Amino acid sequence: MTRNRHDASAVEAAAAIRRLSGLPDEAVRVVLTTEIDDGFRARSAGGVLTVTASDAGAAVAGYAAFARRAGVAHVSRIGTRPVTRRLPEGAEVSGDAAFGRRVAYNLTVGGYTTPFYDRAQWEREIDLLAASGVNAAHLTLGQELVYLKTFQRCGYGEQEILRWLGPPSHQPWLWMNNIQNFGRGTSGTLVDRRAALARKVIERMRHLGIVPILPGFSGTVPPGFAERWAGSRTVPQGRWYKDLVGPVRPDWLDSTTDAYAAVAEMFYAEQRAAFGTTGMWAVDLIHEGGHTGGTDLGAAARGVLEAMTAADPDATWVMQAWAGNPRRELLEAVGTDRVVVLDLTGESHRDDGFGGPEWVWGILPDYGGRTALYGDLADVASLPGRWLGDSGPRGLAGLADMAEGLVNNPVLWDLFHDLTWADGPVDLGEWMREWTTSRYGAADAQAEEAWRNLLATAYGPWRHGRNGGLPAETVQALAGLPVDAADVHGAPAFAEMLAQLAGEMSEAVPAYAATDSVIAAVPSLDANQASLVGPRALAHPEGALIPALRALLDAAGRLDSPGLSYDLVDLARQVADDAARAALRDVADAARAREIGAYDAAARRLLVLIDAQEAVLGTNEHFLLGGWLADARAWGAQEDEAAYLTMEAKRLLTSWGYEDATVLDAYANRSWAGLVGDYYRSRWALWLDEVRATLVGEATKPVDWYVQADRWNRADTTYPERPSGDPRQAAAAVLDLAVRFVGEGVSGQQERDV
């Protein structure tokens, strides 16, 4: 039986390698053996690549490592390049895992990236997970079926639960006990289709040695549960953020009660019937400000674990270390042998880890799937020096990439996952040369120069003391209040509440991540960031990336690869974002000086820059709003459902939610063609006109930014699904405009000296 299982897994691994490499059947050979503990050995001879590995996933990772180190191809989340020449004779690459647990995905990935993936997209995604050495990943796809079946058994009608579940784009936040009854919910047909796909995804993950981490039962229940189940105890959770602001959360069913045990038994039975068991279950009690209503937290945790292990004797409880969780008393109550803690940012553990249980060191590469360049690569490369040897923190058992969304910053993903095979700190300079050579198809001095600049700027240290303030217009918009250019008051009471919330959250969650796009921000003369969350200031000078863009444009004149095309567009996008800060400052200076001629000229220049960013984004498939919306529309069983799913896919990127969620506005902003050229540009054009009216003494009209977003979300405008235009020409146009705003910038070495 073991031999047959190994043979089948080898076949699956070889198929994945062929999909990633483009090699023919006869050129790929996979051998799985128990002689390798956890790793791979890859060798090419006679035009055949032989990968000997411990399991199917390690074999696929072995090909990815071989492709890059041998320089014959490139495997990356964005920019995979197939083998296009004969394999080198006698090339050998090996890797042995430093840790047994390699985890991927924040639970939010199911909303910010994959809610509308089809089977082909999931197949590619799983191939990429395996190539990255991942052997466990959160999966929320299809889980709505479990909740539907469970609560129908509790006396709810099908339509009640379908409404409660929300659309696929927003369901992950129900699993985390943050929202409920979003939009008009979902449909039975959609539930069934997604469950069918989930079965295929789970099967493929298992074939490649990736354990799906499925949502366990935390006690989240629909409204009115206590009235339907006599003797049950439910605890209202208030509003999402510390019960201060945001949507009303679902009630929590006290997990110390018999009612919880009974419902949990139903839940896990439905889970097992629909998808089987995987041995890993994600549950986060009192997540992001929830509470137990006086129930002892340790006792509540024991109730969760008892129900989980009763249903799955091999169960491991997967918890997130985030916002003060998991509490010490919770961990002490459940013991350590059934728990794995995911330290989302790698900054929540102590010297003793988490006091006993296994835990994994995480990074949080983005909030909301935003597109800003981000990640301290030198810090990531140095991580093995902190955990290898006897001085490393106790209990460390693995790595976790906890990105909230996936389609951004491929260099950060690739470097972090390479740490799986590292036996010491990574030589970042050597790693970058190897990475760019395989990614672009050849070594290139200008490409290397571009990345030297980026390592010192956008991909350098991101913590700094230049945090910006919250503009008054933004405060009003987040409060759900209209903004009048002639009377901006900033909603002081709401601002005070936000300050309280920020203070409470900062005690539990250190400042993290980069700022985002001014172009995507609520329009204001003082705009400095789109989302509420982030430092509201760049970690580098506004023109610092211009030399990198100039160098990468030069390299693109000689080289051509999917990775280079993406990187060029992504860099031009960031240069435009950075230059927009200077462009807006020109607008603000002219407005405050009440120089109408200078104001009109500066306003036009800002809109021209936005148009240039839209143009460059439209040249690459990864920056198209139209693709995201087409994927959403494809899941609709009829036109009405297709339009609804498209609307909610747009809503996630703009207002995030409805009137009760205005504080989340732009949390998941993206610099995508369509969003930039239509939604963001129209907002700026409107506001610039309103500001102009104040300068010439004309009447102004208050702008309700939520209403503007809702109107745009509901419009049936179509956007291109395929790229068009020349990325080099479009990037060069951005470069020319940026130089006008901020000058030539500084070189990578000069930036390091600043």
Side-chain angles (χ1 to χ4, degrees):
M1 180 66 72
T2 301
R3 175 59 182 269
N4 290 340
R5 199 159 51 237
H6 261 211
D7 289 346
S9 295
V11 169
E12 293 292 340
I17 291 171
R18 290 194 298 272
R19 286 191 293 270
L20 292 169
S21 68
L23 290 169
D25 292 2
E26 64 273 12
V28 178
R29 180 170 178 261
V30 172
V31 178
L32 303 185
T33 176
T34 57
E35 294 180 6
I36 299 175
D37 180 45
D38 187 1
F40 56 81
R41 312 286 183 266
R43 186 175 189 276
S44 58
V48 176
L49 174 66
T50 300
V51 184
T52 305
S54 54
D55 58 77
V60 181
Y63 162 69
F66 177 88
R68 186 161 74 238
R69 296 180 201 171
V72 298
H74 187 75
V75 179
S76 181
R77 173 154 296 287
I78 308 167
T80 293
R81 185 175 66 84
V83 177
T84 56
R85 58 184 175 86
R86 183 176 174 81
L87 297 174
E89 190 66 23
E92 296 185 21
V93 169
S94 64
D96 293 289
F99 296 108
R101 296 191 184 277
R102 286 95 68 183
V103 182
Y105 297 167
N106 198 296
L107 283 163
T108 60
V109 165
Y112 291 135
T113 298
T114 63
F116 304 114
Y117 271 20
D118 59 20
R119 185 173 179 181
Q121 288 168 303
W122 269 112
E123 180 179 78
R124 174 171 173 74
E125 177 60 27
I126 296 165
D127 286 350
L128 291 172
L129 290 179
S132 301
V134 170
N135 60 13
H138 285 290
L139 185 70
T140 59
L141 173 69
Q143 297 307 298
E144 58 268 42
L145 176 65
V146 178
Y147 283 79
L148 175 62
K149 296 292 187 183
T150 297
F151 290 114
Q152 282 183 292
R153 291 173 62 180
C154 295
Y156 287 85
E158 180 183 49
Q159 291 305 313
E160 287 180 279
I161 301 304
L162 291 175
R163 170 75 173 83
W164 180 66
L165 289 168
S169 54
H170 290 76
Q171 283 171 1
W173 292 275
L174 175 60
W175 311 154
M176 291 186 287
N177 193 247
N178 297 141
I179 64 173
Q180 60 181 337
N181 292 323
F182 193 93
R184 73 182 201 198
T186 188
S187 69
T189 300
L190 194 54
V191 168
D192 290 341
R193 289 178 61 200
R194 281 171 52 84
L197 178 59
R199 294 185 188 100
K200 297 292 186 183
V201 168
I202 290 170
E203 180 182 31
R204 177 56 60 84
M205 290 174 74
R206 285 171 169 155
H207 283 159
L208 292 183
I210 303 168
V211 178
I213 305 172
L214 302 179
F217 185 58
S218 66
T220 296
V221 293
F225 184 87
E227 288 76 47
R228 296 169 190 260
W229 193 295
S232 63
R233 177 178 183 268
T234 58
V235 179
Q237 295 297 292
R239 295 189 177 276
W240 182 347
Y241 293 105
K242 298 284 186 179
D243 202 17
L244 292 172
V245 67
V248 173
R249 304 166 64 141
D251 291 347
W252 176 69
L253 177 61
D254 188 337
S255 55
T256 66
T257 63
D258 291 341
Y260 171 86
V263 177
E265 183 178 6
M266 294 179 196
F267 178 94
Y268 289 113
E270 294 295 345
Q271 181 73 264
R272 184 166 54 250
F275 307 112
T277 58
T278 69
M280 299 187 79
W281 303 94
V283 174
D284 291 292
L285 288 176
I286 60 171
H287 179 66
E288 290 189 340
H291 60 93
T292 63
T295 296
D296 178 75
L297 180 59
R302 283 193 295 272
V304 170
L305 184 60
E306 287 167 6
M308 189 185 293
T309 53
D312 180 4
D314 297 323
T316 295
W317 183 352
V318 181
M319 304 177 183
Q320 298 182 97
W322 174 252
N325 290 337
R327 310 285 175 82
R328 172 76 72 160
E329 60 266 35
L330 184 154
L331 293 173
E332 290 175 348
V334 298
T336 62
D337 60 337
R338 293 284 190 166
V339 171
V340 172
V341 179
L342 310 181
D343 187 347
L344 265 66
T345 64
E347 298 182 349
S348 296
H349 63 275
R350 303 173 296 269
D351 289 342
D352 67 344
F354 289 89
E358 286 190 0
W359 64 281
V360 298
W361 192 305
I363 59 170
L364 184 58
D366 66 74
Y367 288 127
R370 301 176 204 162
T371 41
L373 299 185
Y374 167 71
D376 187 343
L377 299 188
D379 185 67
V380 171
S382 72
L383 285 176
R386 302 183 215 172
W387 62 50
L388 294 176
D390 296 335
S391 61
R394 193 177 67 161
L396 182 60
L399 307 173
D401 191 316
M402 303 306 295
E404 289 195 350
L406 299 178
V407 190
N408 52 37
N409 294 302
V411 66
L412 179 58
W413 174 282
D414 292 347
L415 175 61
F416 182 73
H417 289 278
D418 258 19
L419 301 185
T420 296
W421 319 107
D423 58 5
V426 174
D427 182 327
L428 185 56
E430 180 181 343
W431 188 92
M432 285 302 313
R433 284 188 292 274
E434 182 183 86
W435 187 81
T436 55
T437 298
S438 68
R439 185 171 177 82
Y440 300 158
D444 186 272
Q446 286 300 298
E448 291 179 11
E449 174 58 28
W451 279 97
R452 277 193 294 273
N453 173 285
L454 292 173
L455 287 177
T457 54
Y459 288 111
W462 49 267
R463 280 201 167 101
H464 53 82
R466 300 187 297 277
N467 293 8
L470 199 61
E473 294 91 339
T474 301
V475 174
Q476 286 180 235
L478 295 178
L481 301 175
V483 187
D484 189 335
D487 181 26
V488 178
H489 52 75
F494 187 79
E496 183 177 343
M497 184 273 296
L498 287 180
Q500 176 189 343
L501 176 64
E504 292 180 6
M505 292 298 289
S506 65
E507 293 177 7
V509 184
Y512 207 81
T515 190
D516 56 35
S517 171
V518 166
I519 292 171
V522 171
S524 163
L525 296 181
D526 299 313
N528 52 21
Q529 182 172 290
S531 167
L532 175 63
V533 180
R536 317 197 75 84
L538 287 172
H540 54 263
E542 290 162 355
L545 307 188
I546 285 177
L549 180 55
R550 193 179 298 283
L552 205 59
L553 267 168
D554 184 80
R558 294 178 295 279
L559 305 175
D560 183 24
S561 75
L564 179 56
S565 177
Y566 174 88
D567 293 346
L568 180 64
V569 171
D570 198 23
L571 179 52
R573 174 205 55 72
Q574 187 67 53
V575 167
D577 270 353
D578 294 357
R581 295 172 182 269
L584 180 58
R585 197 161 50 248
D586 290 347
V587 173
D589 288 347
R592 285 166 180 147
R594 306 191 69 82
E595 296 177 357
I596 190 65
Y599 175 85
D600 287 343
R604 281 195 301 271
R605 288 195 297 270
L606 174 60
L607 294 178
V608 167
L609 180 61
I610 294 174
D611 291 339
Q613 188 184 63
E614 168 79 3
V616 74
L617 294 169
T619 67
N620 189 276
E621 63 179 318
H622 298 289
F623 296 97
L624 300 180
L625 173 65
W628 168 258
L629 300 183
D631 288 347
R633 173 169 286 278
W635 276 95
Q638 62 281 324
E639 176 56 32
D640 178 62
E641 185 173 58
Y644 166 65
L645 295 176
T646 302
M647 176 184 71
E648 299 300 14
K650 293 167 74 175
R651 189 179 306 279
L652 185 70
L653 309 183
T654 57
S655 60
W656 200 98
Y658 287 82
E659 293 96 329
D660 60 352
T662 53
V663 71
L664 292 168
D665 182 73
Y667 181 88
N669 69 84
R670 312 287 167 86
S671 294
W672 283 355
L675 266 176
V676 170
D678 186 10
Y679 179 64
Y680 299 148
R681 189 191 194 282
S682 66
R683 299 203 313 172
W684 276 107
L686 173 61
W687 185 249
L688 291 170
D689 283 347
E690 290 296 314
V691 173
R692 189 181 196 282
T694 69
L695 301 180
V696 297
E698 295 178 354
T700 57
K701 182 178 180 181
V703 179
D704 188 322
W705 292 116
Y706 170 75
V707 170
Q708 292 287 326
D710 189 60
R711 184 180 298 130
W712 187 84
N713 295 334
R714 294 175 186 275
D716 60 359
T717 309
T718 58
Y719 301 91
E721 300 172 35
R722 296 182 179 180
S724 62
D726 184 334
R728 289 178 58 207
Q729 290 182 4
V734 168
L735 176 63
D736 289 345
L737 286 171
V739 168
R740 296 180 199 175
F741 286 117
V742 296
E744 286 292 336
V746 294
S747 71
Q749 183 59 54
Q750 288 173 314
E751 172 61 19
R752 284 189 291 273
D753 293 339
V754 171

